[in-house]
Amino acid sequence: EVQLVESGGGLVQPGGSLRLSCAASGFTFSSYAMSWVRQAPGKGLEWVSAISGRSGDNTYYADSVKGRFTISRDNSKNTLYLQMDSLRAEDTAVYFCAKDRGNGGGSVFDVWGRGSLVTVSS
Amino acid sequence: DIVMTQSPDSLAVSLGERATINCKSSQSVLYNSYNKNYLAWYQQKPGQPPKLLIYWASTRESGVPDRFSGSGSGTDFTLTISSLQAEDVAIYYCQHYYTTPWTFGQGTRLEIK
């Protein structure tokens, strides 16, 4: 079964850091680009960051997180990461890990994790 | 950035009737070289992650019932549910994947009338 399981969320103070992990199983993780997508409470979906498949040489970020968040992957552990620094209240959201379908071109997300809640508050 | 705007924000349809959701992009998401529209549709039920329904504007994902269909090209797209079922109550999002940042519409909440 293809599965993504996020972990690492929690409560953090403004200006703090957190690292999310996403454990993948049931598919050849290294072959696919991966993304993080977030959803603030009661709000819509916002793409956050993506990393290319294979070596993960190419990374992409939304302007709202550029310079503060870092995406990475460890293909030997089938795991995707999101390092979040200088967190702000507006970063409060459920963070979903999502797999690229592999169509070519930009990312269509065919597999999603259940999400990890990040709350930034003092 | 490409802005995706959905209409309506919410919709109530009777069981068995047709539901239509619109999505408009601020610029064309048609990649002329491939003649493909870089547009996807997702369904999100409460407490669940989104589920991919449609990609390339009109290609149904495996396992998605054929009552779901997508159409449109360029900047104007439509998701149609031909005969609404109770399990279709959800929020529906369009998403372009033409260029980063990939953006979503604000969502359309679909309910039973």
Side-chain angles (χ1 to χ4, degrees):
Chain A
E1 179 192 5
V2 176
Q3 195 171 12
L4 299 172
V5 179
E6 301 93 338
S7 60
L11 175 63
V12 61
Q13 292 188 340
S17 298
L18 213 54
R19 189 176 84 154
L20 301 181
S21 300
C22 171
S25 60
F27 66 100
T28 306
F29 177 73
S30 60
S31 295
Y32 293 91
M34 299 291 295
S35 279
W36 291 96
V37 177
R38 69 185 179 184
Q39 186 168 37
K43 302 297 185 183
L45 301 168
E46 179 188 16
W47 170 78
V48 172
S49 182
I51 187 167
S52 58
R54 302 297 177 187
S55 58
D57 284 348
N58 298 309
T59 58
Y60 309 88
Y61 298 93
D63 285 347
S64 58
V65 307
K66 199 172 294 182
R68 301 188 298 122
F69 289 13
T70 303
I71 192 171
S72 62
R73 66 191 299 158
D74 186 337
N75 291 335
S76 69
K77 296 181 179 179
N78 289 343
T79 302
L80 176 73
Y81 302 100
L82 185 68
Q83 176 67 41
M84 303 184 293
D85 299 321
S86 303
L87 282 161
R88 306 166 179 166
E90 54 266 34
D91 296 319
T92 294
V94 172
Y95 285 72
F96 295 104
C97 169
K99 170 187 167 291
D100 176 26
R101 195 181 185 284
N103 289 343
S107 275
V108 176
F109 309 116
D110 66 338
V111 180
W112 297 68
R114 296 204 64 85
S116 183
L117 176 62
V118 173
T119 303
V120 184
S121 175
S122 55
Chain B
D1 298 0
I2 298 175
V3 177
M4 309 300 291
T5 304
Q6 294 180 225
S7 61
D9 289 335
S10 63
L11 180 63
V13 174
S14 300
L15 289 173
E17 296 299 305
R18 178 185 301 262
T20 301
I21 298 170
N22 301 300
C23 175
K24 188 175 185 67
S25 57
S26 61
Q27 65 186 73
S28 176
V29 297
L30 172 63
Y31 193 176
N32 289 316
S33 300
Y34 300 143
N35 194 32
K36 286 184 179 294
N37 288 281
Y38 283 45
L39 190 284
W41 288 97
Y42 300 86
Q43 174 194 66
Q44 187 177 31
K45 297 181 179 180
Q48 296 184 19
K51 173 187 175 182
L52 176 64
L53 299 176
I54 302 281
Y55 58 96
W56 298 135
S58 61
T59 301
R60 203 178 300 115
E61 175 71 330
S62 175
V64 173
D66 60 8
R67 64 179 180 274
F68 290 90
S69 63
S71 62
S73 184
T75 61
D76 293 280
F77 301 91
T78 300
L79 175 69
T80 301
I81 307 172
S82 60
S83 177
L84 189 70
Q85 305 299 304
E87 60 265 32
D88 300 334
V89 169
I91 299 175
Y92 292 83
Y93 295 93
C94 62
Q95 175 228 337
H96 87 82
Y97 46 104
Y98 186 83
T99 184
T100 57
W102 304 311
T103 54
F104 294 84
Q106 80 277 17
T108 295
R109 183 180 300 273
L110 177 59
E111 299 172 331
I112 305 294
K113 186 186 293 183

